[in-house]
Amino acid sequence: MGPRRADAVADNPPPAKRPRAIAARNAYPRRRAITACQLCRMRKTKCDNRRPSCGTCTSLEFQCVYQDTATDFSSFDPASLAILDRVNYAIQLIEQHPSPTGSSSDSLRTYPPGPSEPVLEETPDEAISKSTENSFLLEAQQLQANCASSRLLQWPSLRDLCEPCEVDKLFFNPAPPEESTEAAAPSSSRGIREEDVPSLIQSFLENVHTKNPILDPNELRNMSRYIGEDGFQWNGPSCLILIACALGTISRPFSIDTPGPQDTSRLDARDYTTSESYYTAARKRIGLLDSSIIAIQCAFLIGVFEMYSMRPLRAWLSFNRACTYFQTYLHSSSLGQPVEQSSETVRSRLYWSCLKSDCEMREEIALPPTELTKVEYSDAFPSPPGNAPDPDGGNQTESSMALDASSERSWYYYLSEIASRRIANRVTAALHPLDPEEWVKTPVHHLQRIAEELDAQVVQWAENFPPIVRLSADDTADELSYYLHSRYLDLRERIWRPFLYLGAHSKPQDPNLLIYVRNAGLCLDMIFKHIHICFIRHRHHGSWFAGRSLFTKGLLVLVAARSPNIAMPANWMMAMDTCITGLRYWEDEAPDLRAARLTLQRIYQSVNSIVPAFGSAPSDRIIDQV
């Protein structure tokens, strides 16, 4: 019986079902993916997956957020995951980044990778939505002057020509305040006069308030009336009026006049010493104020004045104080403590102005972020003020309406600036690593796709400007439109800057050199236009930033000029002359801009030694004498 059963089994083997099941599992192996938290995904770092907070979030003191379990696809097979990636990517492009109206969709459209293209390392479901406030705060925390001139001085074509820290070290060691005051414009000071307050407040509202509308003009005028009756007190309203008068004294109506080779900013600063008198009186009172809305406004406007007077380090400290005041105010409110009543609109304006100013400073100089970058106070744009009653209790006239034509233009500009700050942080996070060699390691199609998508967002941002602030070819005298156009050019230059680096430092046999050079040409076009925009003698909140931008753009021009791969336009030397003249105009007030001008001249002379140093003295050619 035994042998016969064995023979029967041998003649009729059972069906091989088990191997087919094994083959199916091998074809679509299931995997258990460990979901990283949102911060680690954003930073593209390995997450240890600790709960409730991973190690990275714990060290950064950031709220650790994991993906919703409802979207956990870890049990899906690879084919299903690939399909979901494609679908999610298409939905993301349609919902978040529509094609700009009136622009060429073919030139700006991006596509998911085709069958023959390698899949990008970052899939759509692994990225944080760029439209969320959480993403904006993450990007704000990571700003470390990645796009600043100090990074450019470390590029291979420039690093042997100067010390990268020669310029930035003077930011932290400026001239003593008494020297700056004594060397100011030779004008006699009128001192603090109560009868001058109404006219200075009006000058402040017309020339300064329009860029950061964090005050109620009617309330400010009402405070100034009490000053005329009772004089300056040691309280918040007097401090606010004093700093507003300081800004009203130093500010002037917008002008696009350009400086000459012998012009200096101090000679053009009329009533500089008078403005310092108001500023000093305001600083004596700011330390006496408790955390309140008016204290935040005073600290912020003191920072604005310090930017007007080219003292960026003091300005950053004042902005940091305003951020601290705001955070303390919010903390007191959350604990149920009695706080000063104010409208949500005022608080939202202060939040965005403080956060935006902190980002602007840390974008240029590597400074620690304020704690306000961790506060998710508002994910919406601030709302314009509604119609408010007249402070005297009477009916409003057309000139006293809360949102007149001038205020409307101011608010359109203000909201556009906040939107541009979001895009600028996004550009830095997506395209500007600390080490530029990361651009070399990135696949060119990946870099191109990111740049095109961000460029489309900037173009769409500019095309959506209301007509009231849109810059036309025939109108260059409008201040707000002028600055928005400057921001537009600067953003697009930063987007295409990686290709300038790649085009200038690549070998002639590089197969992607034509792509690099073509996009580097677009970057240079934005650079030359932006240099022209920054070359004005008008003093404003961003004058120091404009000087630093001239230095950065000049360095980029020299990087391109030193490379045999990039053909330079015939007028590039005129652009360098403009950068150096613009830096010289402000250098008496900002020692770091003087060092920047000397550095730029020295590198320029190494590129073209036959070009004169633009009338500079022999001692100016030695940067060690700064």
Side-chain angles (χ1 to χ4, degrees):
M1 294 293 294
R4 284 198 298 270
R5 282 197 299 268
D7 293 341
V9 172
D11 293 338
N12 300 289
K17 295 182 179 180
R18 191 67 175 178
R20 284 200 298 268
I22 296 174
R25 284 199 300 270
N26 291 336
Y28 296 99
R30 297 191 179 271
R31 57 193 175 97
R32 184 68 183 176
I34 298 177
T35 304
C37 72
Q38 291 184 346
L39 177 62
C40 292
R41 289 180 184 177
M42 190 68 186
R43 295 165 59 91
K44 298 180 182 178
T45 58
K46 186 176 181 180
C47 181
D48 57 22
N49 206 238
R50 294 180 184 175
R51 304 298 177 105
S53 180
C54 72
T56 301
C57 292
T58 301
S59 62
L60 294 176
E61 298 181 359
F62 195 84
Q63 182 180 4
C64 190
V65 180
Y66 286 93
Q67 185 178 354
D68 189 358
T69 56
T71 59
D72 183 9
F73 306 130
S74 58
S75 61
F76 282 37
D77 57 71
S80 300
L81 290 172
I83 294 172
L84 286 172
D85 287 348
R86 291 294 187 86
V87 173
N88 289 335
Y89 187 85
I91 293 174
Q92 184 184 21
L93 290 180
I94 294 172
E95 292 182 347
Q96 296 183 12
H97 313 303
S99 298
T101 305
S103 62
S104 175
S105 59
D106 291 336
S107 62
L108 298 175
R109 187 184 305 153
T110 60
Y111 302 90
S116 61
E117 299 177 12
V119 179
L120 301 182
E121 297 178 2
E122 180 182 355
T123 55
D125 64 293
E126 293 175 338
I128 299 176
S129 173
K130 297 300 182 182
S131 62
T132 63
E133 176 65 13
N134 187 42
S135 174
F136 173 76
L137 294 178
L138 287 173
E139 292 162 348
Q141 291 180 47
Q142 297 176 38
L143 289 178
Q144 288 296 324
N146 297 31
C147 302
S149 53
S150 57
R151 303 294 184 192
L152 298 182
L153 293 174
Q154 300 174 16
W155 286 13
S157 56
L158 298 178
R159 67 167 61 121
D160 296 331
L161 301 178
C162 62
E163 284 291 333
C165 63
E166 283 294 327
V167 176
D168 283 357
K169 73 179 183 181
L170 293 178
F171 173 88
F172 297 97
N173 186 27
E178 58 272 11
E179 293 183 11
S180 301
T181 304
E182 293 173 0
S187 60
S188 58
S189 173
R190 287 175 54 87
I192 298 176
R193 296 188 179 185
E194 296 170 0
E195 61 269 23
D196 293 341
V197 169
S199 61
L200 294 179
I201 292 298
Q202 187 61 31
S203 175
F204 164 80
L205 292 174
E206 293 175 356
N207 301 326
V208 182
H209 176 73
T210 52
K211 271 77 75 179
N212 276 288
I214 62 171
L215 303 175
D216 186 327
N218 290 329
E219 290 184 4
L220 190 67
R221 293 189 181 98
N222 194 29
M223 290 180 190
S224 66
R225 295 192 187 102
Y226 288 111
I227 297 298
E229 296 172 0
D230 304 328
F232 289 103
Q233 308 296 319
W234 291 88
N235 55 19
S238 293
C239 182
L240 187 62
I241 292 296
L242 283 167
I243 190 59
C245 288
L247 286 163
T249 304
I250 199 173
S251 62
R252 291 290 181 271
F254 178 70
S255 171
I256 57 172
D257 294 339
T258 57
Q262 306 302 322
D263 292 333
T264 63
S265 60
R266 280 208 170 118
L267 293 177
D268 291 341
R270 295 171 293 176
D271 295 332
Y272 193 99
T273 52
T274 302
S275 66
E276 284 286 333
S277 300
Y278 285 101
Y279 163 72
T280 302
R283 286 191 68 193
K284 291 178 180 179
R285 289 164 170 80
I286 187 67
L288 303 177
L289 305 182
D290 296 326
S291 179
S292 61
I293 291 297
I294 199 168
I296 303 170
Q297 293 168 332
C298 291
F300 180 83
L301 290 178
I302 285 177
V304 172
F305 178 85
E306 286 159 342
M307 290 303 299
Y308 264 83
S309 54
M310 308 297 284
R311 296 192 284 254
L313 179 59
R314 279 190 177 186
W316 176 73
L317 293 173
S318 295
F319 292 141
N320 200 281
R321 170 183 280 184
C323 292
T324 302
Y325 281 167
F326 190 88
Q327 189 178 15
T328 305
Y329 176 85
L330 291 180
H331 186 64
S332 300
S333 301
S334 65
L335 295 177
Q337 297 295 322
V339 295
E340 176 188 0
Q341 295 298 319
S342 62
S343 67
E344 176 63 25
T345 301
V346 172
R347 293 195 294 269
S348 182
R349 281 180 269 170
L350 284 171
Y351 172 79
W352 283 108
S353 290
C354 292
L355 192 59
K356 185 166 69 74
S357 297
D358 176 73
C359 290
E360 288 172 349
M361 293 299 299
R362 292 190 299 107
E363 193 173 54
E364 190 60 40
I365 301 292
L367 296 164
T370 176
E371 290 295 309
L372 196 60
T373 58
K374 300 178 183 179
V375 177
E376 297 183 40
Y377 172 70
S378 172
D379 61 353
F381 290 98
S383 302
N387 292 338
D390 187 87
D392 292 332
N395 295 327
Q396 284 184 315
T397 63
E398 292 185 2
S399 61
S400 65
M401 293 296 289
L403 196 62
D404 55 13
S406 176
S407 297
E408 184 181 9
R409 294 182 63 260
S410 172
W411 271 95
Y412 278 131
Y413 168 82
Y414 185 55
L415 297 178
S416 299
E417 273 286 283
I418 293 175
S420 72
R421 172 45 46 197
R422 287 174 173 265
I423 298 176
N425 288 3
R426 191 177 308 164
V427 169
T428 302
L431 280 178
H432 289 272
L434 292 177
D435 184 5
E437 284 299 309
E438 294 295 327
W439 293 329
V440 180
K441 303 175 184 178
T442 305
V444 62
H445 71 277
H446 187 177
L447 198 62
Q448 178 86 16
R449 196 174 82 180
I450 295 175
E452 287 178 349
E453 177 59 32
L454 290 171
D455 193 70
Q457 294 180 33
V458 175
V459 171
Q460 185 182 23
W461 168 74
E463 289 180 345
N464 286 328
F465 288 163
I468 198 170
V469 294
R470 187 174 298 165
L471 181 66
S472 64
D474 301 328
D475 182 17
T476 58
D478 180 71
E479 181 180 17
L480 304 183
S481 302
Y482 197 86
Y483 293 150
L484 286 178
H485 186 59
S486 174
R487 184 76 69 183
Y488 167 79
L489 296 173
D490 184 56
L491 285 173
R492 296 195 67 192
E493 177 273 310
R494 296 186 188 194
I495 290 172
W496 298 106
R497 186 185 300 181
F499 293 95
L500 179 61
Y501 175 89
L502 294 170
H505 299 96
S506 296
K507 297 181 180 179
Q509 60 269 26
D510 192 317
N512 298 316
L513 184 59
L514 290 179
I515 299 176
Y516 298 155
V517 172
R518 181 178 68 249
N519 292 329
L522 179 58
C523 179
L524 283 174
D525 184 45
M526 298 297 111
I527 288 173
F528 291 130
K529 291 178 180 178
H530 193 259
I531 288 174
H532 177 72
I533 289 284
C534 292
F535 186 60
I536 58 174
R537 66 200 303 169
H538 177 67
R539 184 186 296 271
H540 58 97
H541 183 166
S543 295
W544 180 79
F545 290 112
R548 297 280 298 200
S549 182
L550 286 174
F551 180 44
T552 300
K553 302 305 189 268
L555 290 176
L556 290 169
V557 172
L558 293 177
V559 167
R562 288 174 59 86
S563 172
N565 299 332
I566 301 177
M568 299 297 292
N571 62 343
W572 74 271
M573 295 183 187
M574 295 178 59
M576 293 303 304
D577 189 358
T578 299
C579 290
I580 293 173
T581 304
L583 287 168
R584 179 184 285 114
Y585 179 76
W586 298 106
E587 67 180 23
D588 286 346
E589 297 184 62
D592 65 306
L593 295 187
R594 173 178 170 81
R597 192 259 301 176
L598 297 175
T599 300
L600 198 63
Q601 282 188 182
R602 186 166 64 182
I603 299 175
Y604 180 40
Q605 290 171 1
S606 71
V607 176
N608 193 343
S609 58
I610 64 173
V611 178
F614 305 102
S616 59
S619 60
D620 286 346
R621 302 178 186 178
I622 304 176
I623 195 170
D624 294 337
Q625 295 186 13
V626 175

